[in-house]
Amino acid sequence: QVQLVESGGGLVQPGGSRRLSCAASGSIFRINDMGWYRQPPGKQRELVATIASGGYTNYADSMEGRFTISRDNAKNTVYLQMNSLKPEDTAVYYCNAEVRRRWSTSPSNYWGQGTQVTVSS
């Protein structure tokens, strides 16, 4: 069993900053890629950023420069630092990880429950 738990969401004013965390736990052998996605109200889920186990990152065009993804492999945790937040950033943010479980032969994708980020005055 693998669980991903996000934290750090909440209400923030435009121009403010917020840091999200996502910790993976359970019968983990290895975590490959990790990432953040978000779903604004009334819209489809979209990519925010991903990070490989070796540290390679990629960002959606609208996020790069304001958001920074990082990870701590020893803690099985991925972070998303969000700066210069805009009302358009309001969304439920989801953590994703490709995990090879202990005693398994191939990795599987897992999702967190999501954490709400609201950017409003």
Side-chain angles (χ1 to χ4, degrees), residues 27-105:
S27 56
I28 298 170
F29 176 75
R30 181 176 62 244
I31 302 179
N32 298 325
D33 292 351
M34 304 185 81
W36 289 95
Y37 297 75
R38 71 183 188 185
Q39 187 167 15
K43 298 182 179 180
Q44 294 182 327
R45 186 176 299 185
E46 63 183 2
L47 169 72
V48 176
T50 61
I51 183 167
S53 60
Y56 176 83
T57 60
N58 78 287
Y59 298 86
D61 290 342
S62 61
M63 319 299 173
E64 191 165 12
R66 298 190 299 121
F67 292 7
T68 302
I69 189 170
S70 61
R71 64 189 287 171
D72 186 334
N73 291 331
K75 297 180 178 179
N76 291 332
T77 299
V78 62
Y79 306 93
L80 183 69
Q81 178 66 46
M82 304 183 293
N83 299 323
S84 301
L85 285 164
K86 307 173 182 178
E88 307 93 89
D89 296 319
T90 296
V92 178
Y93 285 73
Y94 295 92
C95 176
N96 173 264
E98 184 183 76
V99 179
R100 182 180 175 182
R101 298 172 63 186
R102 296 170 69 184
W103 311 114
S104 69
T105 58

Side-chain angles (χ1 to χ4, degrees), residues 101-120:
R101 298 172 63 186
R102 296 170 69 184
W103 311 114
S104 69
T105 58
S106 61
S108 299
N109 273 291
Y110 295 88
W111 291 90
Q113 80 290 345
T115 185
Q116 176 71 47
V117 175
T118 302
V119 184
S120 179

Side-chain angles (χ1 to χ4, degrees), residues 6-24:
E6 300 102 332
S7 62
L11 178 65
V12 60
Q13 291 188 330
S17 298
R18 200 81 178 186
R19 189 192 191 205
L20 306 181
S21 300
C22 173

